[in-house]
Amino acid sequence: MHKKRRRDLLKGIGAAGTIGLAGCIGGGDDGDDGDDGGDSDGGDGDGSDGDGGDGGDVETREIMYGVLMPETGDLGSLGGPIGDGARLVARQLESETDFSFDVSSSDTQTNPQTGISEANSLVDAGYPAVVGSASSNVNLQVTRQSFIPNEVVGISPSSTAPAVTQLDDNGYIFRTAPSDALQGPVIAQVAVEEFDASTVSTMFLNDNYGQALEESFVEAFRNEHDGEALERVSFEPEQASYASQLDTAMSADPDFLWIVGFPQSGIQLFRDFYNSFSEDFPIIVPDGLIDDTLPGEVGNPMTNVWGTAPAAGGAGAERFAELYQQEWDREPGVFNAHAYDAAACVVLANARAGENDGTAIRDNMREVANPPGTEITADNLAEGLRMAAAGEEIQYTGASSAVDFDENGDMKAVSYDVLRYQDGEAQVQRTIDFS
């Protein structure tokens, strides 16, 4: 295993990719060409067993975590910025505390098998917790075949498939992104409120993310709004044309079209749409297709396209956005804040545990995130790290939302932004609180 020291890993990881919302990146595959490991001999420090450190020289130890994101493949344009949210925590704390950080980044290529291989490389290198992966199609495989059997904490900022909740994970798997069991009803609500819609045709990526989110939406549209799904058309990623699938979906004359996919596929899909159908016909997309680079790539302003995505409106949102802009020279997109929160939680849990051990980190995740305790945000994260290491009660309140884990490692309540493409970017129109 090739090893890289902390500063080598952090130097030049950079802001690969473009601004986007990696949304639910509940699907896709995941690939491999990122950093493949790091130093696995980080100090254990003082304190252990999930009860918090006992003081002493706790602020001189090394904290380790991995970042497993798609920097290539269908989600390549989104994975880099999401990963930067996770890497930002180490950069921030490295300059504000005496702790040192060993952070290793790996590329899943949006491919499950590559994701498993890269996850195993992180595990073998001794990383006790990993922020990732992004898409559910990859995350479900990575968690089952790598993280859970090796007792490593996995926390995804963007894997939204409902199946993640049902994992037999012995408590090792968390996520700061909301389940699509929530987003489906939100999208149905938006369709009725914005378009007074009663019929829809759906197009969805043929993977765990696309299938589950489409089913969640259709169930809510039918049962809660008496809506009718006319045509339900699946598609494969990154095809040369989606004209036939679009023809099938639009032939039923729906009130609107709902599309679940990722940016690389979305470029061709929307090009095909605008070649054959009206630019005024309403379309709704979830977070996976909220990407500010999309209108330019498609060659259309896409003002008929609305979307939903988990909001970044937590107590630490403003400070996080400021830090992200300073570090990466661009504004954060959706799920970037969720990645920051995921990394903050594993770092705080690691400090409280007093060692780079997956089980000890698992046992302290709720101790540092859920109430009660002193509120910790991006504004006072360094102080929170010192308090956690000393075993004091803290409650991390995130940049994305309140980070309050339920018994499944899911968020208890979240907010969603309703967006619309305007002036070449996805702009927030309003926010919906949902629990």
Side-chain angles (χ1 to χ4, degrees):
M1 170 57 61
H2 177 62
K3 295 183 178 180
K4 298 183 180 180
R5 290 302 303 162
R6 168 178 53 86
R7 292 191 180 276
D8 292 332
L9 287 164
L10 290 176
K11 180 182 178 181
I13 282 176
T18 56
I19 298 175
L21 319 185
C24 25
I25 295 185
D29 319 290
D30 248 280
D32 112 30
D33 86 26
D35 301 313
D36 61 351
D39 224 322
S40 59
D41 59 356
D44 289 336
D46 299 318
S48 59
D49 300 328
D51 295 323
D54 60 2
D57 196 20
V58 293
E59 291 187 37
T60 62
R61 60 178 290 261
E62 184 177 61
I63 291 176
M64 303 171 66
Y65 68 93
V67 178
L68 184 65
M69 285 290 141
E71 305 216 3
T72 54
D74 205 11
L75 273 173
S77 66
L78 303 179
I82 296 176
D84 285 343
R87 290 182 279 265
L88 179 61
V89 169
R91 295 204 174 193
Q92 175 187 358
L93 292 174
E94 187 176 44
S95 65
E96 297 177 358
T97 72
D98 291 329
F99 286 90
S100 61
F101 295 86
D102 178 351
V103 180
S104 180
S105 297
S106 292
D107 177 15
T108 66
Q109 298 175 5
T110 327
N111 179 282
Q113 291 306 310
T114 306
I116 293 167
S117 176
E118 291 301 297
N120 286 335
S121 293
L122 292 171
V123 170
D124 291 343
Y127 291 90
V130 177
V131 177
S133 53
S135 67
S136 294
N137 198 39
V138 177
N139 192 46
L140 288 166
Q141 296 300 318
V142 164
T143 53
R144 289 171 178 146
Q145 298 191 42
S146 183
F147 295 159
I148 297 169
N150 288 290
E151 300 182 339
V152 166
V153 170
I155 180 166
S156 176
S158 54
S159 171
T160 56
V164 176
T165 301
Q166 308 302 324
L167 284 168
D168 183 12
D169 62 0
N170 200 22
Y172 285 96
I173 304 305
F174 298 81
R175 55 180 167 179
T176 50
S179 167
D180 283 332
L182 301 181
Q183 187 168 201
V186 168
I187 294 170
Q189 177 181 330
V190 171
V192 172
E193 292 175 351
E194 298 296 341
F195 307 130
D196 193 26
S198 60
T199 63
V200 65
S201 285
T202 65
M203 293 182 63
F204 56 96
L205 197 60
N206 186 25
D207 67 3
N208 289 309
Y209 164 55
Q211 293 164 4
L213 182 51
E214 195 268 354
E215 183 63 34
S216 174
F217 160 75
V218 169
E219 181 178 352
F221 190 59
R222 285 173 171 170
N223 298 337
E224 299 176 21
H225 303 284
D226 295 323
E228 181 181 3
L230 303 176
E231 293 288 345
R232 304 172 66 177
V233 184
S234 66
F235 62 88
E236 300 300 323
E238 299 186 78
Q239 300 298 296
S241 173
Y242 293 99
S244 63
Q245 292 94 331
L246 283 163
D247 286 342
T248 299
M250 294 294 288
S251 66
D253 194 25
D255 290 335
F256 75 103
L257 180 63
W258 190 63
I259 303 174
V260 188
F262 294 139
Q264 284 303 112
S265 302
I267 293 169
Q268 185 62 48
L269 195 155
F270 280 104
R271 285 175 178 171
D272 290 342
F273 177 87
Y274 292 119
N275 281 338
S276 301
F277 303 101
S278 170
E279 295 183 357
D280 298 323
F281 186 83
I283 296 174
I284 301 181
V285 299
D287 42 31
L289 280 168
I290 301 294
D291 184 342
D292 286 348
T293 69
L294 201 54
E297 294 283 358
V298 172
N300 190 286
M302 297 176 58
T303 55
N304 62 315
V305 179
W306 292 64
T308 60
E318 186 174 340
R319 178 57 176 158
F320 159 74
E322 180 183 273
L323 289 167
Y324 192 99
Q325 176 75 47
Q326 289 174 354
E327 189 66 42
W328 309 118
D329 196 28
R330 52 178 157 74
E331 294 182 358
V334 172
F335 290 121
N336 296 181
H338 295 77
Y340 178 90
D341 291 342
C345 285
V346 298
V347 165
L348 292 170
N350 187 313
R352 193 175 194 278
E355 59 181 320
N356 287 298
D357 176 78
T359 301
I361 293 170
R362 175 200 67 181
D363 294 345
N364 279 282
M365 289 289 285
R366 291 176 182 82
E367 295 297 322
V368 299
N370 293 13
T374 300
E375 184 177 76
I376 302 300
T377 70
D379 292 278
N380 63 339
L381 187 58
E383 179 61 23
L385 189 64
R386 289 187 283 267
M387 292 177 67
E392 299 177 34
E393 281 197 342
I394 64 170
Q395 173 190 351
Y396 178 72
T397 303
S400 62
S401 66
V403 181
D404 193 355
F405 295 114
D406 67 12
E407 65 276 11
N408 298 309
D410 284 342
M411 295 289 92
K412 291 183 178 179
V414 295
S415 298
Y416 285 91
D417 285 334
V418 178
L419 306 104
R420 183 180 184 181
Y421 279 104
Q422 294 176 310
D423 300 322
E425 63 182 10
Q427 299 182 5
V428 176
Q429 309 296 303
R430 59 192 173 97
T431 300
I432 298 174
D433 295 324
F434 207 84
S435 63

